[in-house]
Amino acid sequence: KDLAWIKQHAAAFQVEVQLREDLAIIAVQGPQARAKVIELVAADQRDALDKLARFSAVDVRAADGVALFVARTGYTGEDGFEILLPQSAVVAFWEKLLAAGVKPAGLGARDTLRLEAGMNLYGQDMDDSVNPLDAGLAWTIDLVSERDFIGKAALQAKGQGAQFVGLILREKGGILRAHQKVVAASGLEGEITSGTFSPSMQQAIALARVPMDVAIGDTVHVIIRDKRLAASVVKLPFVRNGKVLAA
């Protein structure tokens, strides 16, 4: 679906889009992630990788000469690198990471990390039917400059209709989960889009789309198995760089 959309819009430009099945990617995330990866690249490449800024990428070589395209654009709430390399070399590089002390993590761990970091998951918190302004993504959109882009006119016409906030459950009796109803003090309703038990906070937390009259610090009620349980509205993220920000 994404590739079809990209190809559709690339047709108006001198751009060729193709699927690269010859490449693979490994995401290494965590407090020691960057140091562990830097150890595995050629000695004369380490300084460039160490200085790589957030949301940037660079071509380097592994210690054994394999070409690596390394980015610092991770989607976990932790710092680290995403390493793009030939599929033929990915198993060997994976084994070198394991030998360096990097541990495999499943999608469950990735999901709690990104939720603590207040990051949207496509298909869960937003999709192509959700206004990005209602998904807490206004920071990614430039509605101020004169530059045009796909969807700008529609966003300006529609505006924002809901807020995307964090919730912390304050009463015992359940775990916050997607699709649970959220009732504001005004009686207006919203919905949880993602919820879990936070390993970092040891509390039930959630991302929710709520009415515009809800404010940070408000108490709302979540319907869990026909019970109304109180939850606090907090500013996202819940956790950043291992430090709990929401209480």
Side-chain angles (χ1 to χ4, degrees):
K1 182 178 178 181
D2 291 340
L3 193 59
W5 188 93
I6 292 169
K7 285 184 174 180
Q8 174 192 343
H9 293 284
F13 303 91
Q14 293 182 331
V15 176
E16 181 182 347
V17 182
Q18 64 181 44
L19 202 59
R20 292 292 303 273
E21 295 183 347
D22 58 315
L23 299 176
I25 188 168
I26 301 174
V28 189
Q29 306 286 296
Q32 301 177 48
R34 293 173 62 211
K36 294 292 185 182
V37 173
I38 288 170
E39 291 175 4
L40 301 181
V41 304
D44 63 341
Q45 309 274 287
R46 293 176 182 174
D47 189 53
L49 200 51
D50 186 46
K51 293 178 179 177
L52 185 66
R54 295 298 298 268
F55 308 117
S56 300
V58 67
D59 288 301
V60 293
R61 297 186 317 278
D64 59 4
V66 171
L68 308 174
F69 181 75
V70 182
R72 195 175 167 202
T73 56
Y75 173 74
T76 60
E78 289 282 352
D79 199 2
F81 291 132
E82 303 72 57
I83 306 152
L84 201 69
L85 70 168
Q87 197 174 109
S88 58
V90 69
V91 172
F93 195 82
W94 174 270
E95 289 175 344
K96 288 183 174 67
L97 286 168
L98 295 182
V102 175
K103 295 183 179 181
L107 289 177
R110 200 266 317 248
D111 195 50
T112 56
L113 280 168
R114 69 94 192 169
L115 208 160
E116 289 180 343
M119 295 178 172
N120 279 259
L121 177 62
Y122 185 86
Q124 184 90 9
D125 305 291
M126 49 80 74
D127 57 26
D128 55 6
S129 70
V130 176
N131 182 342
L133 301 177
D134 296 351
L137 296 173
W139 64 275
T140 69
I141 302 166
D142 179 10
L143 293 176
V144 178
S145 71
E146 295 182 2
R147 182 180 64 89
D148 196 14
F149 56 86
I150 296 168
K152 183 177 183 178
L155 288 173
Q156 290 175 324
K158 188 173 181 62
Q160 184 177 352
Q163 297 185 81
F164 193 66
V165 299
L167 299 181
I168 300 176
L169 188 64
R170 298 303 187 187
E171 293 186 80
K172 295 181 179 179
I175 295 292
L176 300 179
R177 299 292 187 199
H179 307 302
Q180 291 170 341
K181 185 185 296 183
V182 179
V183 183
S186 64
L188 296 176
E189 296 180 353
E191 184 180 62
I192 288 177
T193 58
S194 290
T196 192
F197 185 80
S198 164
S200 299
M201 300 170 63
Q202 291 295 294
Q203 291 175 288
I205 63 172
L207 307 178
R209 206 162 354 264
V210 299
M212 293 295 289
D213 65 345
V214 173
I216 301 299
D218 282 359
T219 295
V220 295
H221 288 85
V222 182
I223 310 302
I224 303 177
R225 293 190 295 273
D226 298 323
K227 293 186 294 184
R228 290 169 56 98
L229 299 182
S232 299
V233 179
V234 299
K235 183 180 178 181
L236 296 171
F238 298 99
V239 180
R240 177 176 287 153
N241 297 327
K243 182 179 179 181
V244 174
L245 302 181

